[in-house]
Amino acid sequence: MSTETGIGAAVKRREDLRFITGRGNYTDDLNVPGQTCGVFLRSPYARAKIGAIDATDALQVEGALAVFTGRDTATDGLGDLPCGWLVKSKDGSDMAAAPHPPLAVSQVNYVGEPYGLVVAESLAAAREAAELVAADFEELTPVVATAEAAEASPIHEGLKDNLAYDWELGDEAATDSALATAAHVTRLDLTNNRLIPNAMEPRAALATFDPASGNYELRTTSQNPHLERLVLSAFVRIAPEHKLRVVAPDVGGGFGSKIFVYAEETVVTWAAAKVGRPIKWTAERSEAFLADAHGRDHVTHAELGLDGAGRFTALKARTTANLGAYLSTFGSAVPTYLYGTLLAGQYKTPNIHVQTHGVYTNTAPVDAYRGAGRPEATFVVERIVEAAARETGRDPVELRRLNMIEPDDFPYETPVALVYDTGNYQASLDKALHLADYAGFKQRRAASETRGKRRGIGFSCYIEACGLAPSQLAIQLGAGVGLYESGEVRVNPTGSVTVFTGSHSHGQGHETTFAQVVSDKLGVPFDDVEVVHGDTGRVEFGLGTYGSRSLAVGGSALISASEKIIAKGTRIAAHMMQTEPTNVAFEEGAFISGNQRLTLQEVAFASYVPADYPPDLEPGLSEKAFYDPENFTYPAGAHIAEVEVDEATGVVQLVNFVAVDDFGHIINPMIVDGQVHGGLAQGAGQALLEHGIYDANGQLTTGSYMDYCMPRADDVPDFVVDTTVTPCTHNPLGVKGCGEAGAIGSPAAIINAVTDALGTEDIAMPATPEQVWRKLSGL
């Protein structure tokens, strides 16, 4: 096995060649004979009763084939889109889950909610016909503001209020007692701004139905095709699972927003059988702004208690989380188990209590977005720690260091239900301080002042729970499905290897890193390993990609399958060498016994031509494995941001950023760096630029790139990234996950730098020029 392509090598991503040369195979690139086009009818109101819908004129358009509404899907008995995570309120009652029909039937509950589908021979005809559908609405008063939703009248009939759940974690009495006796209590009100994912490729679906076999096929932009198939069969009841194939081809980014099962691909699949023709739908960017699941949107009051020496004694958080109009697939878990469990951060805070009110509003559903609960938790912890340092006159670095979990403390059980297996947080912080030249910051600040700029520095020491699993624990906490992963390794007769994984790649580079893992394990050339994913017709049931789980869980399944390959190959080789399996060793792609040596390729060929073969073995050399980890993985790190603020304009420039992360063992450092860079850019976007805003009528006022500001290359500096390594103790690769870290640690670091520059904690994300200028001007 070549050291240039194995584990730890910076192998160029093999999938990039087709992407950068325009040869990617995305859903919108696909076309099939007889294909029609779909356009969705979407609500212009945030909340309204649906009256009569007249499609007479629409069906007169040349090429128009059908107009379907929510009444049609209801008549056909389609089930609701389910929430996949049951959260219980603190009194033990189940969360209040509002019905979520694929197409709105009697009431629309957010601008952009689909209530109908127009199908036509061409996209132009479908658009024209959609404009001619006459729908009557009775507009109702919407509920929009996160902080006010719990007290407003319920938006859903049958629910007593807008509170989906009142969830808590931790010991409230002990926390309150510790706060009451603390030498100092820092109090902070925080808003985690709503974000709109904006993956490069909009969502799309192409559905076909074969009346002869009764089989459906859905090609769609999914991070989790097996979950898609499960939901559409078991819950929506479009077709039995064995009659539905879901394929996710190349997917141009997801960031969490393509995990979920949406109305559009659901309805397109159902409608394909109704019209007897394939139907293709691709979202316009304006549709994506309105109807993709949004992220974040928390309002939090936090209190941190310290003793006289500066040690943390208690942390209390009261959060209102905007869930949008409906509970999305994992929307209930993000502000609860993916948020509250991380409020210990890297610190030995003995008492923690968190309470979350999940509320319904007349806005787009909110679900996982890069980091999913972990950025929200980190923002609370790292903002209030920074504020406490300033209030008590302590260096923010030294206050963190004083309270950090020590390497000898592991495994460390937090007051909020997690057990960290390993880490060395001080090492990451020390390396970050060195790379950021913290000792020279005062000189850089003085130099900025000579140019009329205010300079600030901010820190963020984050931790996250990744490798989402283990299944038993997840199900106990309300997950609707286990969170294991599947893998299959197939050694072909000529010795090449095909790898099948239930994980899904949509930018992470799995076709490269998984090939590196298997190549390294089996000792076969990297170029001889092919990775297959995203097809329920070819791949064993798997749980997809999210929560930085692919390598830690999916990669571990491939290691297990590879070990089975080696074990079977050892028995075949022993038979061929006329010795016992215990006398055979496997080294660098070969089976060796004494002076005899057989390559894996030779053994594979023999396994498929069983003329000289152990009689108790089946032919072939292909093995499957499922991996269900015993714990989460816990990536952690230290991020340091420096900003300059222009006093005249309020413009914040991110001038330096250092990220030192502990991801465990690194499979491909180049891909890891790319993942971190992307996350840091998204974190900078949240901290300084991005904000999904609804007006009082529930209209999205940031529904295009004219109003929703995305980070560009000149908004970020040359990032300085590095790693420390404490291997995960419970998976065979020792990996932890890297896909979300940049977006988790960076917002708090950047806002801490801005508040340091301005001398006030009263800055909310995003720190736009207008907001900063107003603070500077005393307005």
Side-chain angles (χ1 to χ4, degrees):
M1 188 276 304
S2 171
T3 57
E4 296 179 356
T5 57
I7 289 177
V11 182
K12 290 184 179 180
R13 297 194 343 165
R14 57 165 50 159
E15 50 267 67
D16 284 351
L17 179 61
R18 71 176 186 269
F19 293 151
I20 64 177
T21 57
R23 297 172 185 170
N25 193 33
Y26 300 95
T27 300
D28 192 53
D29 294 325
L30 306 177
N31 295 287
V32 296
Q35 175 179 300
T36 65
C37 296
V39 167
F40 281 89
L41 304 172
R42 298 189 181 275
S43 171
Y45 301 107
R47 187 178 177 216
K49 295 285 187 182
I50 302 174
I53 300 175
D54 186 354
T56 304
D57 291 343
L59 291 172
Q60 298 304 309
V61 172
E62 183 178 356
L65 299 175
V67 177
F68 300 107
T69 70
R71 289 156 192 163
D72 297 313
T73 56
T75 298
D76 252 25
L78 264 62
D80 288 334
L81 300 176
C83 177
W85 203 297
L86 175 64
V87 169
K88 291 183 178 293
S89 290
K90 63 182 183 181
D91 63 3
S93 61
D94 290 343
M95 65 185 185
H100 187 185
L103 292 177
V105 179
S106 59
Q107 182 172 314
V108 288
N109 285 302
Y110 64 94
V111 172
E113 180 175 4
Y115 66 88
L117 170 68
V118 176
V119 182
E121 296 284 1
S122 67
L123 182 57
R127 286 172 172 166
E128 182 181 353
E131 292 177 356
L132 295 175
V133 175
D136 292 332
F137 294 95
E138 178 189 345
E139 192 172 2
L140 305 173
T141 302
V143 175
V144 179
T146 303
E148 300 170 7
E151 305 302 323
S153 58
I155 68 171
H156 291 291
E157 292 184 5
L159 299 186
K160 64 180 182 179
D161 53 33
N162 292 319
L163 191 64
Y165 50 73
D166 178 6
W167 177 86
E168 69 172 354
L169 183 65
D171 189 328
E172 182 175 20
T175 302
D176 286 343
S177 176
L179 286 170
T181 58
H184 178 85
V185 177
T186 294
R187 297 175 175 86
L188 204 58
D189 291 306
L190 300 165
T191 297
N192 209 289
N193 43 318
R194 179 179 282 241
L195 301 176
I196 301 174
N198 282 298
M200 185 176 293
E201 177 202 22
R203 288 188 295 118
L206 172 59
T208 61
F209 174 72
D210 178 9
S213 63
N215 291 336
Y216 292 80
E217 183 172 301
L218 170 63
R219 295 180 180 268
T220 189
T221 49
S222 175
Q223 296 178 219
N224 196 344
H226 281 97
L227 178 67
E228 184 97 36
R229 184 179 68 165
L230 175 64
V231 169
L232 295 186
S233 60
F235 296 93
V236 185
R237 302 186 295 275
I238 288 178
E241 197 168 7
H242 68 287
K243 291 291 185 180
L244 174 60
R245 179 185 182 189
V246 178
V247 180
D250 288 333
V251 175
F255 312 118
S257 69
K258 293 174 182 173
I259 304 171
F260 325 122
V261 180
Y262 287 92
E264 290 85 358
E265 64 261 26
T266 302
V267 175
V268 164
T269 305
W270 166 81
K274 288 295 183 181
V275 299
R277 302 260 303 273
I279 303 175
K280 182 178 181 179
W281 166 78
T282 301
E284 300 287 342
R285 184 60 67 179
S286 57
E287 288 182 284
F289 271 97
L290 292 172
D292 286 2
H294 294 179
R296 316 289 194 251
D297 206 344
H298 287 193
V299 175
T300 297
H301 175 76
E303 300 182 6
L304 177 65
L306 296 81
D307 66 15
R311 291 182 174 85
F312 304 154
T313 62
L315 174 66
K316 184 175 184 177
R318 295 292 176 266
T319 295
T320 300
N322 192 338
L323 302 173
Y326 303 100
L327 290 173
S328 181
T329 309
F330 294 117
S332 59
V334 174
T336 52
Y337 292 110
L338 298 181
Y339 162 69
T341 55
L342 273 302
L343 285 175
Q346 298 184 6
Y347 310 113
K348 295 186 285 190
T349 310
N351 303 288
I352 301 175
H353 183 259
V354 55
Q355 182 177 8
T356 298
H357 286 172
V359 296
Y360 290 115
T361 64
N362 293 114
T363 63
V366 178
D367 209 316
Y369 174 70
R370 198 169 192 170
R374 283 73 55 84
E376 295 92 320
T378 297
F379 193 71
V380 170
V381 173
E382 291 304 296
R383 283 288 292 113
I384 202 165
V385 167
E386 195 93 359
R390 294 167 186 168
E391 288 181 1
T392 60
R394 291 180 167 88
D395 184 301
V397 171
E398 296 311 314
L399 182 62
R400 287 177 167 86
R401 200 190 303 274
L402 176 67
N403 286 281
M404 276 182 174
I405 301 164
E406 300 283 345
D408 292 341
D409 293 330
F410 294 100
Y412 180 83
E413 185 172 359
T414 76
V416 278
L418 296 181
V419 178
Y420 302 162
D421 63 326
T422 186
N424 189 337
Y425 309 143
Q426 293 84 352
S428 296
L429 179 58
D430 289 343
K431 181 177 278 192
L433 291 169
H434 172 71
L435 292 173
D437 185 22
Y438 183 44
F441 173 70
K442 289 183 179 179
Q443 289 77 15
R444 295 193 296 277
R445 170 175 271 176
S448 295
E449 289 174 354
T450 64
R451 301 193 305 273
K453 304 287 183 69
R454 296 193 181 194
R455 196 177 190 101
I457 191 167
F459 305 88
S460 177
C461 295
Y462 77 92
I463 189 168
E464 53 171 328
C466 294
L468 289 185
S471 295
Q472 186 174 6
L473 175 60
I475 290 173
Q476 288 175 355
L477 297 178
V481 67
L483 295 176
Y484 53 83
E485 194 49 86
S486 65
E488 178 182 356
V489 176
R490 183 183 301 168
V491 185
N492 300 310
T494 57
S496 63
V497 178
T498 305
V499 171
F500 300 87
T501 175
S503 299
H504 184 271
S505 180
H506 41 278
Q508 294 88 348
H510 293 171
E511 293 176 35
T512 302
T513 52
F514 283 177
Q516 287 181 261
V517 167
V518 174
S519 168
D520 192 279
K521 184 69 176 178
L522 296 181
V524 298
F526 170 78
D527 290 333
D528 286 354
V529 181
E530 178 191 19
V531 178
V532 177
H533 62 91
D535 187 343
T536 64
R538 299 183 65 189
V539 177
E540 189 71 58
F541 187 92
L543 275 301
T545 293
Y546 43 85
S548 301
R549 70 189 300 271
S550 295
L551 198 56
V553 188
S556 294
L558 295 177
I559 288 291
S560 297
S562 298
E563 289 173 345
K564 292 182 180 181
I565 291 285
I566 294 170
K568 184 176 181 179
T570 298
R571 293 192 61 193
I572 298 171
H575 182 83
M576 296 172 69
M577 296 176 184
Q578 298 182 348
T579 187
E580 294 298 319
T582 54
N583 296 329
V584 178
F586 183 75
E587 298 176 5
E588 297 184 356
F591 298 91
I592 301 171
S593 179
N595 60 0
Q596 298 185 85
R597 184 178 187 274
L598 291 170
T599 66
L600 179 64
Q601 289 81 356
E602 290 172 317
V603 171
F605 186 78
S607 75
Y608 287 96
V609 187
D612 185 17
Y613 198 79
D616 59 337
L617 285 184
E618 296 178 350
L621 198 55
S622 177
E623 296 289 348
K624 296 179 181 179
F626 289 85
Y627 181 77
D628 197 351
E630 63 185 59
N631 193 0
F632 299 100
T633 63
Y634 298 100
H639 290 185
I640 303 176
E642 278 190 51
V643 301
E644 278 192 336
V645 179
D646 189 314
E647 293 184 337
T649 64
V651 170
V652 176
Q653 182 182 3
L654 182 60
V655 293
N656 293 317
F657 199 101
V658 171
V660 176
D661 303 289
D662 179 0
F663 299 134
H665 286 149
I666 303 297
I667 304 301
N668 186 315
M670 182 181 67
I671 289 178
V672 168
D673 286 354
Q675 288 284 297
V676 174
H677 281 216
L680 294 176
Q682 285 181 281
Q686 175 171 18
L688 300 176
L689 302 167
E690 300 182 49
H691 195 183
I693 301 173
Y694 287 90
D695 67 15
N697 296 316
Q699 296 293 329
L700 183 65
T701 61
T702 53
S704 76
Y705 292 133
M706 293 294 291
D707 304 293
Y708 188 90
C709 189
M710 297 281 286
R712 304 183 306 178
D714 59 355
D715 290 313
V716 296
D718 289 334
F719 298 122
V720 177
V721 300
D722 207 335
T723 58
T724 58
V725 177
T726 58
C728 175
T729 60
H730 56 78
N731 69 56
L733 288 166
V735 297
K736 298 182 179 181
C738 69
E740 298 165 295
I744 290 170
S746 57
I750 294 169
I751 293 299
N752 282 337
V754 173
T755 56
D756 180 52
L758 300 182
T760 176
E761 299 297 336
D762 189 20
I763 289 288
M765 293 192 292
T768 61
E770 179 185 3
Q771 184 190 177
V772 172
W773 178 83
R774 287 181 176 275
K775 293 298 178 186
L776 288 169
S777 302
L779 300 176

